[in-house]
Amino acid sequence: MKLRRAAQSCLCGLVLLVANTAASDTLRLDIQGLDEEQQTNVRAYLSIQSMADQPISSESRMRFLHNLAEDEIRRALEPFGYYNPSILVSLTQQDDDWVARYEVDPGPPTLISRADIDIQGDGGSDPEFMALLSRQPVREGAQLRHTEYEKLKSDLQSIAADRGYYRARFVRQRIEVDPSLNTAVVELHVDTAARARIGEIRFSESPISERLLKRYPQFAEGDYINTNRLVRLQGALVDSDYFADVEVRPLLNEMVDDRVPIDVKLTPRPRSLYQAGLGYGTDTGARMQLGLTRRWVNSRGHKLDTRLRLSEIRNDLSTSYMIPGGNPLTDRYGIRARYSDENSDTVNSEILATGALWQKQVGDWERVLSLDLEQEKFSFNGDTREIRLLIPRAQWSRTVADDRLNTNQGYRLSFAVSGASDALLSDVSFLQTLASIKRVDSFGEKTRLLTRADLGLTVTESFANLPASHRFYAGGDASVRGYSYQSLGPRGSTGNVIGGKYLVVGSAEVDYLVRENWRVAAFMDAGNAIDDVSDPLKTSVGAGIRWQSMVGPIRLDLAFPIEDGGWRIHFTLGPDL
């Protein structure tokens, strides 16, 4: 009896030992002969993949799933057009682990012997459908890939939805494969039916008159529906700043005779926007801003914007009244007035100005044409003058950026030309141009190169009478760092900077991302305001840190003038472009 119990105990212990040993074994899958895309799909089909790289709890289940592998691999290769693969499977134990090895030769690809793709209805002559068919890969002689066939179907459905073929349907969709010949026949027929047209455009109640709102759509009743145009209308109404939310949708349930009403639901913003802010910059010192914007003064969409900016060296009070143009997406007209008082180490001036402007988007460029009457009182070398100018001005600017607040790739171009004539309500004649460019280029994920250049030119026979605000100066946070604000330029008899006829400024900066939202930078600036092209430029080098805030990068720089020695700290806030 005791002998039997001892034998039973030994047997139970042996069973537990074997069970524990098996439980510690792991399974490794070895798939050979396939490219990465095919292997990924095979692993998604293989049931035994669920046991890979973990302890085996059931050898019998592992063997069962291994026996399913050959059929699963065959099914996994069919979407790529391989219907006759050669597959060698094996399951072996190596060093107490299991290895499931699958050696796969996909075999000959299945080629499309006939591709019958037909678009019926109004879509049969639609250039968007024609362009898709001309570039799609499902064609006679090509390798059959089910993913390409499904993508073609999806693209056809997308075009139909985007271009108003709301009754489009597949009337025939079939792939017939002959594995013995490795060929396939593809048939795909679409009946788009009639293309829907724009019906009545209905705007919800809003403080903006319907007469103005109807100038925003770039389509009219009776035009064919195009979803992209509806999306652009929605974006344009949001960008108008009148509305906090805009929803543009076709009312398909009200379609009659292929005419679909368009419903535009508008949620207005608050009529008035009040703004206040405090800041600091090494050019301006402490500063404060107060603002009032009336998003609409009346139902015709007129806008009023008033700003008061105060700083240690300059105070400005400005107001503008803007009126939507014939195309409110691209045109605005306005009148403006400004009072400015600047008392810096370089400039002592007081300006009172009023004028009119026309702002228009021309392609990717913003163009501003303006005419301003300015009265400026200024002092240089103890000599105070008061000059009146009637200044026509034209400005063009263009900004392209992947992200306006955190730019990795982009640029900004601007060019302005202005002038005045003593024969036309002005005390002095001059012609002036200013061109600027800024670029941001990324190299890898962490390194950026930031470059900028400013070139200015003034032509006048009476530079002494040219007001301070129309002369060129260099130095400061956005110019040649290492020098104080507007401290570079020709000097007068008392040694004070009086500004120059020309401006030449360039900068190159490299920054590197050291951790999320933090960068370190090194830079070199060069430039000056000059009266002669042979005048020397000033150069500085330095380093800084950058923190990416919600309103753009905050920059702290330490700059060293090369020619004059010393150092200067610069602190700025705002987008790179």
Side-chain angles (χ1 to χ4, degrees):
M1 188 67 150
K2 292 181 179 180
L3 183 61
R4 181 188 300 174
R5 289 177 180 174
Q8 289 175 341
S9 297
C10 290
L11 181 59
C12 289
L14 181 61
V15 170
L16 289 173
L17 178 62
V18 171
N20 288 336
T21 300
S24 66
D25 292 347
T26 58
L27 173 66
R28 179 167 59 87
L29 298 188
D30 182 13
I31 304 174
Q32 301 177 2
L34 301 177
D35 62 30
E36 183 177 354
E37 183 182 18
Q38 294 165 351
Q39 187 166 149
T40 298
N41 203 51
V42 165
R43 288 183 181 274
Y45 268 77
L46 283 175
S47 301
I48 199 172
Q49 179 69 41
S50 62
M51 299 183 68
D53 302 320
Q54 58 184 324
I56 298 171
S57 58
S58 172
E59 181 180 334
S60 61
R61 175 165 176 75
M62 175 185 66
R63 292 186 178 276
F64 170 75
L65 297 180
H66 172 69
N67 290 334
L68 301 177
E70 183 173 351
D71 286 340
E72 291 173 338
I73 292 172
R74 292 182 182 278
R75 292 200 304 274
L77 292 176
E78 288 178 0
F80 301 97
Y82 295 101
Y83 283 82
N84 289 299
S86 297
I87 305 171
L88 296 178
V89 303
S90 64
L91 181 63
T92 58
Q93 195 169 18
Q94 298 177 359
D95 300 328
D96 296 328
D97 286 336
W98 290 89
V99 178
R101 180 171 288 106
Y102 307 110
E103 300 177 40
V104 184
D105 177 0
T110 298
L111 302 181
I112 299 174
S113 60
R114 182 167 65 89
D116 181 12
I117 301 172
D118 185 37
I119 299 177
Q120 305 164 6
D122 286 359
S125 57
D126 191 309
E128 289 294 319
F129 281 115
M130 297 302 99
L132 172 62
L133 295 187
S134 68
R135 66 177 182 267
Q136 63 84 25
V138 181
R139 58 185 68 250
E140 185 176 333
Q143 181 175 340
L144 174 66
R145 294 176 64 93
H146 290 256
T147 53
E148 293 174 347
Y149 171 78
E150 293 299 331
K151 185 178 184 304
L152 174 58
K153 291 173 58 178
S154 176
D155 290 345
L156 289 168
Q157 291 172 321
S158 295
I159 292 177
D162 289 344
R163 296 178 67 77
Y165 297 97
Y166 295 125
R167 293 196 295 268
R169 62 189 181 93
F170 292 109
V171 294
R172 188 170 181 81
Q173 46 184 324
R174 185 175 72 98
I175 297 179
E176 182 179 335
V177 177
D178 186 344
S180 65
L181 298 176
N182 293 307
T183 60
V185 173
V186 177
E187 295 180 342
L188 187 60
H189 295 182
V190 184
D191 183 3
T192 66
R195 185 179 180 185
R197 294 178 180 268
I198 300 289
E200 179 187 6
I201 304 173
R202 305 171 186 170
F203 293 95
S204 66
E205 185 177 353
S206 84
I208 306 303
S209 70
E210 189 164 316
R211 182 178 179 180
L212 172 58
L213 293 174
K214 285 186 174 180
R215 301 211 301 266
Y216 277 90
Q218 301 301 292
F219 51 81
E221 187 172 337
D223 289 350
Y224 284 120
I225 284 185
N226 186 313
T227 300
N228 289 334
R229 289 183 177 178
L230 302 184
V231 171
R232 286 197 293 270
L233 170 60
Q234 179 174 323
L237 289 171
V238 170
D239 291 342
S240 72
D241 201 38
Y242 300 132
F243 308 106
D245 186 57
V246 178
E247 182 181 357
V248 180
R249 60 192 181 95
L251 301 177
L252 301 182
N253 59 332
E254 297 184 26
M255 181 167 62
V256 177
D257 296 329
D258 299 318
R259 296 291 182 106
V260 179
I262 304 299
D263 181 66
V264 184
K265 183 179 179 182
L266 305 168
T267 304
R269 289 181 180 272
R271 185 176 189 178
S272 297
L273 173 65
Y274 301 92
Q275 294 175 298
L278 297 173
Y280 179 85
T282 44
D283 280 354
T284 61
R287 58 179 181 244
M288 179 181 72
Q289 175 175 289
L290 299 174
L292 168 62
T293 301
R294 292 283 275 185
R295 291 188 170 102
W296 65 88
V297 176
N298 49 41
S299 63
R300 295 187 296 278
H302 297 189
K303 295 184 179 185
L304 177 67
D305 186 82
T306 300
R307 303 278 166 177
L308 174 63
R309 299 177 178 89
L310 304 175
S311 72
E312 295 181 23
I313 66 170
R314 182 171 179 170
N315 301 315
D316 288 281
L317 175 62
S318 62
T319 186
S320 64
Y321 189 92
M322 302 302 296
I323 302 170
N327 182 350
L329 279 71
T330 60
D331 292 349
R332 293 196 306 167
Y333 305 89
I335 56 176
R336 61 189 180 187
R338 175 173 65 96
Y339 170 77
S340 177
D341 178 21
E342 181 171 344
N343 289 281
S344 67
D345 293 339
T346 303
V347 175
N348 184 352
S349 77
E350 186 177 3
I351 303 171
L352 184 62
T354 185
L357 70 153
W358 173 25
Q359 181 177 323
K360 182 178 179 62
Q361 193 73 26
V362 183
D364 294 331
W365 291 85
E366 181 183 89
R367 186 192 70 194
V368 180
L369 304 179
S370 60
L371 181 66
D372 293 285
L373 181 63
E374 296 182 0
Q375 189 81 18
E376 182 169 351
K377 183 179 181 181
F378 62 98
S379 299
F380 284 119
N381 299 325
D383 180 20
T384 300
R385 304 188 184 194
E386 189 166 347
I387 298 296
R388 181 181 63 193
L389 297 172
L390 180 64
I391 304 176
R393 180 181 288 107
Q395 299 170 270
W396 293 265
S397 63
R398 178 182 185 183
T399 302
V400 176
D402 55 357
D403 187 327
R404 295 292 291 270
L405 293 180
N406 187 10
T407 305
N408 287 308
Q409 199 75 35
Y411 63 89
R412 174 177 173 80
L413 297 172
S414 64
F415 178 77
V417 58
S418 60
S421 171
D422 57 11
L424 189 62
L425 300 178
S426 298
D427 295 329
V428 62
S429 298
F430 76 94
L431 178 66
Q432 190 172 82
T433 63
L434 177 63
S436 299
I437 180 171
K438 294 182 178 180
R439 280 191 64 93
V440 179
D441 295 284
S442 291
F443 302 91
E445 297 181 355
K446 296 185 176 183
T447 305
R448 300 189 309 166
L449 173 64
L450 295 86
T451 52
R452 58 180 168 86
D454 300 292
L455 298 173
L457 167 67
T458 305
V459 178
T460 180
E461 294 181 354
S462 182
F463 186 77
N465 289 324
L466 192 66
S469 64
H470 296 283
R471 304 185 184 192
F472 290 122
Y473 310 88
D477 300 337
S479 182
V480 182
R481 286 165 284 189
Y483 294 91
S484 59
Y485 176 63
Q486 294 188 346
S487 63
L488 296 180
R491 297 180 180 271
S493 58
T494 62
N496 294 325
V497 175
I498 61 172
K501 296 180 181 179
Y502 311 115
L503 177 69
V504 180
V505 172
S507 174
E509 177 177 312
V510 175
D511 67 23
Y512 184 80
L513 185 69
V514 292
R515 57 179 300 180
E516 186 176 5
N517 294 327
W518 287 92
R519 293 178 177 270
V520 294
F523 59 85
M524 174 180 285
D525 297 341
N528 207 344
I530 55 179
D531 282 336
D532 191 282
V533 293
S534 63
D535 291 346
L537 303 182
K538 299 291 188 178
T539 308
S540 67
V541 295
I545 58 175
R546 312 282 183 259
W547 178 62
Q548 184 63 41
S549 72
M550 296 182 64
V551 293
I554 296 175
R555 309 173 190 86
L556 181 63
D557 290 325
L558 180 61
F560 301 88
I562 293 178
E563 290 84 6
D564 300 304
W567 55 273
R568 186 173 180 83
I569 292 176
H570 296 269
F571 178 81
T572 56
L573 164 66
D576 292 315
L577 298 178

